[in-house]
Every structure is written in structure tokens, then in C-alpha cells.
């Protein structure tokens, strides 16, 4: 087909051929990204077929494929088998920044049992009445930090991780810990392997720091070791990010054997592991964290927002010996010191035993809600009775964002697989159903009823 035949041919995207220069695939990817970021290409726009675009530009099909692949890895476009390639909506928006509609039944963002927040309120009231409360409003002291790292050391032993105080850093939540790592250990252009569907705020941070994410195929037990080996040979992978227990969003938990196999691969190829163990508190099978197997190459992040209370913004990060000075220098330079009041509340909850009681209450609530969920959707993805969310596959021809919109129109907030997608082709979309977020069982049942009717 000649190029001239496209002069008046309708195409959703016609890049300016005069702007193309070597390497063509890179220029083409940049033009596509510019048109998406600028808004010239609206969310959910279906892009022209690759062969059609190659004919229009009079270049090789492989060049188009390579450019699309690069944009898929950045998360700005996604492909659906049998449907085509589309512009990703809100892909760079962290879930916390999404507009909240209080009138909707909350099955989207994770709001883990806010009704238990009164426990923290009681602890705060007691602390504020303490004669020494004024010290909590100081900038920082060595003695206070030492006390809190001792509490962290004690707490982490509950999750099969023994470490020295010197290796523990207190950060203002998991995202704060990730920022520290991206500022010190990783740099723009580095490649990090991760699940095909993973924590959406990690995707956003990686994009902001210009770190390329390499998706690894997964099954119900987590990422496949053989695919990690394959991708390592294809890419110069520097690190790997894992949520080993109840991966957000798929709910997959790495078995003890899978963890051992992955640890061997990480050692073999000298990779750096970011282990996000935010959901360790619902680890029913209790396989040990990878950090206990390979401490010299693992950055272990233990966020407490889901286990205790999101407003506390506390995470314990365990750092290998060789990175302590570097992480400490960066933490001091950008002043990532946590609020002493938040740290004191957390340490008081842990030392008094209330933290364990809170977790037990949350797990009891989750057991009850998972039983209800199974009544509506017997084929559950996560069999963990303490899971805070479930992964609900959609019919293969359905697009997740369309289901999101339809659910909102019927009064339910839900999040689709595309929001957690790292790159490549989505063979089957799904919904992450947050069973922990509704205020009570009645509200959850109403939401599940609506979802059931929509899917029918």
C-alpha cells in the first residue's frame, strides 16, 4: 500500500512523519508519549493497528512493535487480546490521589477496618496526658530513635525476621521507604523485575524516577522462577520488587519452596530485592520472608498501615550492612525522619500488646467477610481466609475500565486490573474487590449483590 493512500484515511493517531529520526522506534515512542501526556490522545483511545501504522509511516512493522512495547512498559498504553491497543487512563495517578465519592459503596481503595480506629484514639489520649508529652514535639533525639528501633526489632521477630537495630530504618510509610531506595540504590534507566500486576503506587514512583519495570509471568503461587531467568537473560535487570504475601492486587502468596527458588536466582545473578511485606500480618501459612534467606541483598519493607492504622504512616525498613551509610546519608539530607508522636503511638501499641489484638480483630473480620464473598463468588482466587481483598477475573472480552465506570453508575467503587498492570498484553482483565473497606457486613453484601448482577 502506498503512503499517499492514507492522506484522507481516518486514523485515531497520525504521528508527524517529518519528526521521525533514528532510532525510529525511540522517536515514535516519544511522539506517542507526548500526545498522550498532552491530552491530544484521550484515555481509552484505540490506537491504529500496528501494520496499518507501519504502512502509513512507510517503515518496518518491527519498528512499530518495538515502539509500542516501550510504551507498554511505561504503562501509558495497554493491549487486550482480540481488542487492540488502547491509551491507559489515569495510569500515572496513585490510588490515593483518585477522587473519592462518599456515595459509592467502597470496594476499590483499601480502607482496612476504619471502625477499629477508636483503639488508637484511646492510646493517643493516654499519651497526651503524660507529663513528658512535650518531648514528642521535639525534632528528634538519639534516645527516642533507639527505643523505637528496639520495638521494631522485637516486632519483626513475630514475622520470622531477626536483625540488628543498626539495620532498621523508620520511615513514614512504605512509599517513603521506596523513595529512599530510588534516591540511593537505583537510578534512572535501571530495570526492576516485578509481577505483571503489582502495587500501583510502586508503578507510579518507578515511572517518576524513570526506572523501567520488567513484568514477570505469575501463577497462583506468585512469579514464575523460569520466567525471571528468561527475562534476566533478555534485559539487564538490576533488581526485583516482590509482595510475597497476598500480592497486591492478585492475592498470590509465594510458597516456601518458591521463595527458596527465587532466593537462589537472586543470589546467582546478584540482584537487589525489594521485599514489600506489608501483608505479613495475614500470612496464615507463615513461610519466612526472603530477607531471612538472603539478608545481604534484600531491602525488607514492613509497612504497618494495613496491620494497624493508615494514619500512623509508619514502616520498618531493614537494610543490608553495605547500604546502611548510604541510606542514612540520604535520609538525613532530605529529612525523612518520622513524626515522634506517630512513632510513640506505634511503639505503645506494640509494647502493650494492643497491636496483636488489633491484628486478631482484623483477621476475624476478614474471615467473616471472605465467607460472605464466597457465597457470591465461590471460585475465589485467594484462599487465604484473612485476605483483605479478592481478585475477580472478568470475561475475556471485557475491558476493566468499562466495568469500573458501569459499577460507579450503579453505586459501587471498584478498581480494575489495568490500574495495576506493568506492561505487555492483558489476556484477561479482573477486578480487585476490597472486602475490608465497607463499614459493615450489610454494606459489603449490597456491593457484592450489585457486582453479581452486573457480571450477569
Amino acid at each position: 500500500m502506498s503512503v499517499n493512500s492514507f492522506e484522507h484515511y481516518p486514523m485515531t493517531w497520525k504521528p508527524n512523519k517529518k519528526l521521525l529520526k533514528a532510532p525510529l522506534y525511540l522517536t515514535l515512542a516519544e511522539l506517542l508519549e507526548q500526545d498522550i501526556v498532552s491530552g491530544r490522545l484521550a484515555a481509552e483511545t484505540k490506537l491504529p493497528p500496528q501494520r496499518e501504522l507501519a504502512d502509513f509511516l512507510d517503515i518496518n512493522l518491527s519498528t512499530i512493535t518495538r515502539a509500542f512495547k516501550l510504551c507498554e512498559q511505561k504503562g501509558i498504553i495497554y493491549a487486550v487480546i482480540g481488542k487492540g491497543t488502547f491509551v491507559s487512563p489515569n495510569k500515572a495517578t496513585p490510588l490515593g490521589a483518585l477522587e473519592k465519592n462518599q456515595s459509592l459503596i467502597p470496594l476499590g481503595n483499601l480502607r482496612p477496618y476504619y471502625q477499629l480506629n477508636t483503639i488508637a484514639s484511646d492510646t493517643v489520649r493516654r499519651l497526651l496526658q503524660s507529663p513528658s508529652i512535650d518531648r514528642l514535639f521535639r525534632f528528634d533525639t538519639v534516645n527516642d530513635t533507639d527505643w523505637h528501633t528496639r520495638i521494631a526489632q522485637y516486632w519483626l521477630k513475630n514475622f520470622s525476621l531477626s536483625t540488628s537495630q543498626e539495620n532498621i530504618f523508620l520511615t513514614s510509610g512504605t512509599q517513603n521507604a521506596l523513595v529512599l531506595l530510588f534516591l540511593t540504590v537505583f537510578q534512572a534507566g535501571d530495570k526492576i523485575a516485578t509481577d505483571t500486576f503489582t502495587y500501583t503506587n510502586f508503578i507510579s514512583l518507578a515511572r517518576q524516577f524513570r526506572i523501567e519495570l520488567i513484568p514477570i509471568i505469575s501463577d497462583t503461587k506468585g512469579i514464575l522462577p523460569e520466567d525471571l531467568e528468561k527475562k534476566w537473560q533478555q534485559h539487564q535487570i538490576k533488581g526485583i520488587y516482590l509482595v510475597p504475601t497476598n500480592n497486591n492486587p492478585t492475592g498470590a502468596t509465594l510458597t516456601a519452596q518458591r521463595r527458596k527458588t527465587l532466593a537462589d536466582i537472586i543470589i546467582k545473578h546478584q540482584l537487589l530485592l525489594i521485599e514489600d511485606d506489608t501483608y505479613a500480618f495475614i500470612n496464615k501459612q507463615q513461610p519466612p520472608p526472603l530477607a531471612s534467606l538472603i539478608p545481604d541483598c534484600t531491602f525488607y519493607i514492613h509497612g504497618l498501615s494495613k496491620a494497624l492504622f493508615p494514619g500512623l504512616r509508619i514502616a520498618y525498613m531493614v537494610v543490608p550492612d553495605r547500604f546502611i551509610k548510604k541510606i542514612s546519608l540520604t535520609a538525613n539530607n532530605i529529612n525523612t525522619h518520622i513524626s515522634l508522636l506517630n512513632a510513640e503511638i506505634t511503639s505503645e501499641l506494640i509494647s502493650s500488646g494492643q497491636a496483636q489484638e488489633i491484628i486478631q480483630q482484623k483477621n476475624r473480620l476478614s474471615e467473616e467477610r471472605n465467607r460472605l464473598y464466597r457465597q457470591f463468588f465461590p471460585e475465589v482466587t485467594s484462599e487465604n481466609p484473612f485476605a483483605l481483598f479478592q481478585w475477580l477475573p472478568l470475561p475475556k472480552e471485557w475491558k476493566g475500565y468499562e466495568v469500573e465506570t458501569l459499577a460507579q453508575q450503579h453505586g459501587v467503587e471498584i478498581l480494575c486490573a489495568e490500574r495495576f498492570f506493568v506492561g505487555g498484553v492483558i489476556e484477561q482483565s479482573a477486578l480487585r474487590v476490597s472486602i475490608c473497606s465497607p463499614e459493615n457486613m450489610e454494606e459489603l453484601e449490597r456491593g457484592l449483590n450489585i457486582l453479581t448482577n452486573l457480571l450477569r
Side-chain angles (χ1 to χ4, degrees):
M1 183 182 295
S2 66
V3 176
N4 292 334
S5 64
F6 280 92
E7 185 176 351
H8 302 292
Y9 186 80
M11 294 174 66
T12 55
W13 183 53
K14 288 186 177 182
N16 189 338
K17 290 175 280 190
K18 295 179 181 179
L19 297 178
L20 292 178
K21 57 184 179 180
L24 293 178
Y25 83 94
L26 189 57
T27 305
L28 192 62
E30 289 173 350
L31 291 175
L32 179 54
E33 184 172 9
Q34 289 170 12
D35 284 349
I36 291 174
V37 172
S38 68
R40 285 190 289 271
L41 276 176
E44 289 293 356
T45 297
K46 184 178 180 179
L47 297 174
Q50 293 185 25
R51 188 172 298 281
E52 187 176 289
L53 197 55
D55 288 340
F56 168 68
L57 296 173
D58 198 22
I59 60 179
N60 290 333
L61 175 62
S62 60
T63 302
I64 305 295
T65 301
R66 196 173 179 186
F68 273 34
K69 181 67 176 176
L70 186 58
C71 290
E72 285 173 358
Q73 290 173 348
K74 290 183 176 182
I76 58 177
I77 64 174
Y78 69 97
V80 180
I81 290 181
K83 289 277 190 176
T85 304
F86 302 84
V87 175
S88 301
N90 301 322
K91 195 58 182 168
T93 305
L95 294 185
L98 294 179
E99 184 177 348
K100 295 177 177 60
N101 187 332
Q102 300 298 332
S103 67
L104 300 178
I105 296 174
L107 296 179
N109 277 317
L110 295 177
R111 304 166 192 171
Y113 305 116
Y114 282 2
Q115 58 267 43
L116 299 179
N117 288 355
T118 53
I119 299 174
S121 302
D122 295 338
T123 300
V124 172
R125 276 190 285 270
R126 287 199 305 272
L127 287 174
L128 291 176
Q129 293 170 0
S130 170
S132 59
I133 184 64
D134 62 301
R135 68 182 175 80
L136 299 181
F137 301 106
R138 301 171 190 168
F139 179 68
D140 197 2
T141 66
V142 174
N143 289 336
D144 282 323
T145 302
D146 183 67
W147 158 245
H148 296 309
T149 53
R150 284 206 308 273
I151 291 293
Q153 184 184 38
Y154 159 78
W155 178 254
L156 293 176
K157 287 180 180 178
N158 295 320
F159 304 95
S160 304
L161 184 61
S162 297
T163 186
S164 67
Q165 284 183 247
E166 290 73 22
N167 296 85
I168 299 175
F169 286 77
L170 275 59
T171 69
S172 298
T174 297
Q175 287 169 254
N176 190 262
L178 291 171
V179 168
L180 265 179
L181 295 181
F182 287 164
L183 286 171
T184 53
V185 182
F186 299 94
Q187 57 188 0
D190 285 345
K191 298 179 181 180
I192 298 179
T194 187
D195 288 83
T196 302
F197 297 99
T198 194
Y199 178 40
T200 187
N201 289 357
F202 175 75
I203 298 173
S204 299
L205 279 174
R207 183 173 304 117
Q208 186 169 352
F209 282 90
R210 298 189 177 277
I211 291 170
E212 183 179 345
L213 299 183
I214 307 298
I216 309 297
I217 298 173
S218 306
D219 61 12
T220 55
K221 299 177 182 178
I223 71 169
L224 298 175
E226 55 269 30
D227 195 54
L228 177 59
E229 282 277 14
K230 177 183 176 182
K231 297 295 173 54
W232 180 86
Q233 294 172 5
Q234 295 173 343
H235 307 274
Q236 293 180 324
I237 295 175
K238 181 175 181 178
I240 178 170
Y241 171 78
L242 292 174
V243 183
T245 298
N246 212 58
N247 174 57
N248 184 5
T250 63
T253 293
L254 291 169
T255 62
Q257 181 56 51
R258 184 71 62 90
R259 295 178 191 223
K260 176 64 170 60
T261 303
L262 290 172
D264 291 341
I265 294 174
I266 290 168
I267 291 285
K268 174 183 174 183
H269 298 305
Q270 299 181 334
L271 300 176
L272 295 174
L273 168 64
I274 303 173
E275 183 175 15
D276 183 349
D277 215 10
T278 295
Y279 301 97
F281 72 101
I282 63 170
N283 191 345
K284 184 173 175 59
Q285 301 302 323
Q286 296 186 333
L290 282 87
S292 66
L293 304 175
I294 46 174
D296 293 338
C297 52
T298 301
F299 297 92
Y300 177 86
I301 303 175
H302 187 97
L304 290 167
S305 63
K306 302 298 187 297
L308 301 181
F309 305 105
L312 290 178
R313 308 310 306 155
I314 294 287
Y316 300 145
M317 180 166 68
V318 180
V319 174
D321 291 339
R322 57 192 166 122
F323 291 100
I324 291 177
K325 288 184 178 179
K326 195 173 184 180
I327 295 287
S328 181
L329 178 62
T330 302
N332 287 324
N333 283 339
I334 64 174
N335 189 17
T336 60
H337 301 290
I338 63 171
S339 159
L340 282 180
L341 179 59
N342 285 1
E344 190 76 15
I345 295 169
T346 304
S347 294
E348 175 65 23
L349 289 171
I350 292 174
S351 61
S352 67
Q354 283 184 297
Q356 287 288 9
E357 293 177 13
I358 293 166
I359 288 175
Q360 290 172 5
Q361 287 194 51
K362 288 190 174 185
N363 285 343
R364 281 196 294 269
L365 288 170
S366 293
E367 277 192 294
E368 184 180 18
R369 294 190 178 202
N370 276 299
R371 282 196 295 269
L372 176 62
Y373 179 88
R374 285 181 174 84
Q375 293 177 21
F376 288 88
F377 305 104
E379 299 298 324
V380 295
T381 304
S382 174
E383 297 181 357
N384 187 337
F386 304 144
L388 300 177
F389 52 84
Q390 288 285 347
W391 188 243
L392 179 61
L394 294 172
K396 285 195 174 183
E397 66 275 12
W398 289 24
K399 289 170 59 181
Y401 281 113
E402 292 178 353
V403 179
E404 263 194 33
T405 302
L406 187 62
Q408 288 177 8
Q409 292 170 355
H410 286 77
V412 173
E413 173 203 65
I414 200 76
L415 296 175
C416 65
E418 285 84 344
R419 291 192 183 275
F420 305 88
F421 188 52
V422 175
V425 177
I426 294 183
E427 295 185 4
Q428 183 177 15
S429 188
L431 301 176
R432 190 192 71 178
V433 185
S434 174
I435 63 170
C436 67
S437 298
E439 189 172 341
N440 49 51
M441 288 285 284
E442 291 73 21
E443 187 178 40
L444 173 61
E445 186 170 7
R446 289 201 308 274
L448 295 177
N449 256 317
I450 293 172
L451 273 187
T452 302
N453 291 327
L454 288 179
L455 295 181
R456 285 173 181 166

